[in-house]
Amino acid sequence: MPTGQLQHRERELAALGEVLGEAAQGRPALALIQGPRGIGKSELLRAALARLPQQSIVLRARCHENEQEYPYGVVRQLFDPFISASGSSGATPEPLSVNLPNSLDQSAVPANGAAAHHLLQNLFQATRSMATTRPVVIAIDDLDFADEASLQWCSYIARRLEGLPVALLATVSSETADVHENLPAELGALPYTRVVRPGPLCDTCSAELMAAAFGAPLDAELAAACHTLSQGNPLVLRELTKRLIAAPVSPGSPNLDEVLRIGAQTLSDTTLTWLDQHRPAAVELLNSLAILGPGADLTTAAILAGQGDFQAAQARAALCRTGLLDPGPPEQFRHELVRTAILSRIDSDHRLDLHERAAALLARLGAPATQTAEHLMSLSTANRAWALPILRTAADEAAAAGSWDTAARYLRRSLAESDDPMALRETTVRLGAVELHRDLASCVRYATSAAAAADPADRARDLLPLAHPALTVTSTTAARHFADTAAALSTVEDAPREQLLQLGSQALLAGHRVGMKRAVRELHAGENGPASWSFLGALAAMTAAGGRSPLRAARLAVRCTEAASPAGADAGLVGAVLAFAWTGRPAEAQQWSAWAVRSARRLRRPAELALALLVQSEVTYRREKWDESLRDAREAAALARAVNAVGLHGAAVACTARALVRLGQVAEAAGSLVGMEVPSDVHPLIRGVVLEGQGVVAAARGNHQEALRLFLECGHQLATRGIANQACVPWRAHAANSYQHLGEYAAARTIVADSVGTTARRRAGAGVPDRTPSASASPEAAGAASAAAVRLSPAERRVTDLVLMNLSNLEVAERLCLSKRTVDTHLGRIYRKLGIVGRPELAAAIEGLSPRG
C-alpha cells in the first residue's frame, strides 16, 4: 500500500522509526540502509528524517564519487550549516568546542598520526556537545562514495555513541560492496546497528505507482511487462513510466511491442549504462551470458569474455547485486526481456563476433549441438566444414523432439554451408524427410527432385525417407514417383528387400501394381519386419478396395496387426485399418485407428496424425458415432492446414460436413464447404471422399440434381483406381437416393441392382459369362431365342439405352460410373440373350421385345 510518496516500505520505515526512537530516549543507534542502485534508499532516508521531532538536530551530507579526493568533504557538509549559524547574530549559537574552520582547513588536514587522532577527537567532542541539549541525527547518503578521511571519522564516531542520544543513518549501495567491503561489516558488528535492506516493489505496488503517474487505470499486461523489465526497481520503473507517457502509450490499450522496445531502452540507459561506467568487467560477462543464451554457465561465459575465475566471480557478484541475474547456479537472467535489452545494445559487429567465437568455443567444449547451432544461425555463411555435422545433429535432435520447424532451419543452413555434391544430396534428403512432417507441398518437390536420379538404387535410397501414406494420398505425383521407382527397382538383381517392400507399399496404396510380383516374392522369402508389415497392410487395403476377396483382405490385415509397430500411422497400420473398415470388421477398425492416432500423437508427427484422425473419423462415422467423427474430422482439418496438405484438409472438411448433416446442422455443414477447393493432384479416394461429402450436403439441402452429379463423379474417380468395393465410398446408394428424389426410379433400380449383382458375383467367386447361345448358333436357334420371352435386367436395359444413343462402351462406362470391362460383360450377356452378333442388330432386336422385356 502507498505510504506518502513511497510504495511497499512500511517495514523499512518502521525499523528506521525504532532507531530514531532509541536516539530520542538518549540511547545510541545506527542504521545502515543497504540495497542496489535505484531501489529507493535515499527516498527512504528522507522519509525517515521527515518523521523526526522539530527539536532534533540533523546533520546531513550526500557523498559523490567525484568528491572522493577531497579530505573530510563529508564532514564539512555535516557541520558547515552549524558553523555558519554560530557566526550569525540572528541564529541560536551551537555549543561547539573547536574552531572547525581552522581544524578542517584543507591545507592543514593531518594525514595520520597523533594530529589526525586529535582532529577526530575534536570532531567527536563537537558532536557530543550538540547532543547535550537535543537528540542528534547524522544522516549520510551514499556513504560508500565518501572520502577516506570522512569514512575514518564515521567509523570513529560510530564506535563512541554509547551513552549519547545520537543516531547515525547512512545509505550504502550493495553494488559497491566490493569497493568498501569492510565498512558495512565494521559498522554492522556494533550492538546498536540495524541493517535495513529495502526490497523491490511488488507487482501490485508497481501497478499503483504507474497508475498514479498515468492518472488512469492500467492494462494488466502493461503493468506486468513493466514490472518484469524494472524488476520492481523504483528508479527504473519511474523512468520507464515517464518515457511511456511521453511516447505516448495508452495505459488502457497499449502496443506491447512498443512498450517492450521502450522498456529495453530504459533498462539500457539506467542500470546498464551505470555498469558500463563502473563495472566494465561485469558488462563483458553480462554480454557473454546474453549471447550464450538460456542455460549458459558462468565458466563458459567467462572464457568467452576472456576472464579468469576471480574476475568472473567478482563480475557475477556485481551483476547479482544489480538484480539483473538470479543468484545461481545456474546463472540466469531474471527474465528473457532483460536478456533482450542487453542484446539490443551490443554493437552488431561485436555481436556477430561473439556469436562466432561462442560457436567455435562450444564446438570445442562438446556442447549440445542445438546450443552451438543457434550461434551458427546468427552468422553469415562461410563454408564452415566443421559446422555441417553440428547442424545435422541439431536437426536430428530437434526432429526427435517434434520441433520440425527448427529442424528445417538447421538443415537449410546446412545446405548453405557446403558446396560438396554428396553433402548437399544427403542434406536435401534429410530436409525432405523433415518437410514430410511440416509442409507436404514442399515435400512433394523434394520427392520430384529425388526421383530425377538416373540410377534406380539412388532413387530408391533418396525416396525411402519420404515413403509415407500421408504424402502418397496427398499427391499423385509423389505416388507416381514411388510406383515408378518400385517398378524400376524390381528389375535390379540385388535390390535391398526393405526398399522393395517399403516403396511397394506406397505404390499399392496409390493403386499401382506394376513390379509387385518381385515384392510379393520378397515378402514370402524373408523374415517379417517393419517393411513386411507395411507391405502387408497396403496389400490388404488394395485387396479390400477391389472387393473381390474380402476374406483375403481381412487375413492380410490381421497378419499386419499381429506385430503392429509403434512407429505411428505408417502404410501398414493405415492399410490394415482401411481393410478392416471395408470388409465389415468395424470393431477391429476402431481399435487400430485409435492405436494409429495415439502413436502419431506420441511421436509428434502432425501429418501422420492428420491422416490417422481422418481414418478414425471415417471409422466412427460408419459406427454412427457422429459427435466423435465430427471431433476427429475437425482436428484433422486443422492439422492438415498446418502442414499444407490441401488434399487431406479437403477430405477432413468433407467429413466434417457429412457428420454435421447427420447431426442436423445442415446450414453449418454447407458453410464449411464454402470456398473449399481440392487440387486434381490427390488420390482418387481422397477426391471421392470430398465429392461424397459435397453430395451429401447438396442432397440435405434438396439440390438432388447437383448431388447426383457429385455422386456419379465420385464413382468415376474411384473407378480410375479400380476401387469397386461399395464399402469404400457408398456412392451408388447415395446416387440411387438422388435418382428416386428426381423421379428416375428405373435409374435408381439399375444402379442399385448393378451394385448388388456385382457384389454377389464377387462373393461367389463369379465373373464367368453365362452359358447362353453363342453368336455362331444356328438361325433356327437364333430365331427361337428371338421369339422366346427375353427379359433384360434393369442394368442391361440401362446399358442398352445408352448404346442405342451411339455411345461407345467407354462413354457408357463413364456415364454409368462403371468400368469398361463391366459394360463389355453386360453387352456380351445382352447379345447372347437376344441371339445377335453385335450393335447393328441391337435396335431391331430391342424393338421385338415385349414392353416388359
Side-chain angles (χ1 to χ4, degrees), residues 624-681:
E624 299 185 0
K625 298 179 179 180
W626 320 124
D627 289 325
E628 294 181 21
S629 178
L630 178 61
R631 180 198 62 206
D632 292 337
R634 281 177 168 167
E635 185 178 358
L639 288 168
R641 181 183 292 277
V643 298
N644 197 20
V646 182
L648 285 181
H649 177 263
V653 171
C655 290
T656 299
R658 190 180 59 180
L660 287 170
V661 169
R662 286 290 189 175
L663 292 170
Q665 303 174 35
V666 177
E668 185 177 352
S672 66
L673 296 177
V674 173
M676 185 185 72
E677 294 183 3
V678 179
S680 58
D681 187 34

Side-chain angles (χ1 to χ4, degrees), residues 262-599:
I262 296 174
Q265 186 62 44
T266 303
L267 188 64
S268 175
D269 293 342
T270 52
T271 304
L272 299 179
T273 300
W274 184 88
L275 281 174
D276 275 333
Q277 298 172 353
H278 299 87
R279 297 288 183 272
V283 173
E284 292 175 0
L285 183 64
L286 193 67
N287 291 343
S288 296
L289 287 170
I291 287 291
L292 289 173
D297 64 279
L298 181 65
T299 302
T300 307
I303 296 174
L304 183 59
Q307 297 178 358
D309 291 344
F310 178 75
Q311 187 181 16
Q314 283 190 319
R316 174 189 174 277
L319 293 174
C320 290
R321 288 194 295 267
T322 63
L324 294 176
L325 287 185
D326 273 332
E331 289 71 21
Q332 57 185 0
F333 295 100
R334 288 289 178 93
H335 195 275
E336 185 63 21
L337 291 176
V338 177
R339 177 172 175 258
T340 302
I342 294 166
L343 291 174
S344 67
R345 64 193 301 273
I346 303 177
D347 177 75
S348 59
D349 293 336
H350 184 45
R351 185 164 62 249
L352 291 175
D353 177 63
L354 285 173
H355 277 301
E356 185 160 12
R357 287 165 47 200
L361 173 63
L362 292 173
R364 290 197 303 271
L365 295 177
T370 302
Q371 186 178 356
T372 308
E374 280 302 315
H375 296 287
L376 292 171
M377 298 299 292
S378 303
L379 304 175
S380 58
T381 58
N383 198 17
R384 303 175 182 86
W386 59 270
L388 285 179
I390 293 174
L391 289 168
R392 288 176 181 172
T393 304
D396 292 341
E397 292 176 358
S403 301
W404 304 109
D405 290 341
T406 303
R409 285 177 55 238
Y410 292 151
L411 290 173
R412 290 196 186 99
R413 181 54 185 266
S414 298
L415 290 175
E417 286 289 354
S418 175
D419 53 7
D420 179 62
M422 292 301 296
L424 290 175
R425 177 180 173 182
E426 181 182 352
T427 304
T428 301
V429 172
R430 289 173 178 244
L431 182 55
V434 169
E435 295 288 14
L436 178 62
H437 304 289
R438 62 178 298 274
D439 189 346
L440 289 186
S442 177
C443 188
V444 172
R445 293 192 292 271
Y446 285 108
T448 302
S449 175
D455 184 56
D458 291 340
R459 265 187 286 161
R461 183 176 62 251
D462 293 347
L463 280 173
L464 194 61
L466 310 182
H468 193 274
L471 183 63
T472 303
V473 302
T474 298
S475 170
T476 55
T477 300
R480 171 58 65 182
H481 294 324
F482 291 130
D484 292 345
T485 304
L489 195 64
S490 66
T491 63
V492 178
E493 183 176 355
D494 57 346
R497 178 174 183 270
E498 181 181 357
Q499 293 181 1
L500 279 168
L501 294 177
Q502 289 283 19
L503 294 176
S505 65
Q506 303 305 313
L508 285 175
L509 288 178
H512 298 283
R513 298 174 176 82
V514 179
M516 290 302 105
K517 290 183 179 180
R518 171 78 179 275
V520 172
R521 288 198 302 270
E522 293 290 344
L523 177 67
H524 294 300
E527 296 181 358
N528 287 336
S532 301
W533 302 326
S534 178
F535 189 82
L536 278 171
L539 187 60
M542 186 199 71
T543 305
R548 293 180 179 275
S549 304
L551 293 178
R552 180 169 179 265
R555 285 196 298 269
L556 290 170
V558 169
R559 285 182 59 191
C560 174
T561 55
E562 282 176 349
S565 169
D570 61 359
L573 199 54
V574 170
V577 171
L578 293 176
F580 283 135
W582 294 341
T583 57
R585 304 176 75 161
E588 290 167 282
Q590 179 74 53
Q591 173 189 351
W592 292 107
S593 65
W595 173 290
V597 169
R598 288 194 301 269
S599 299

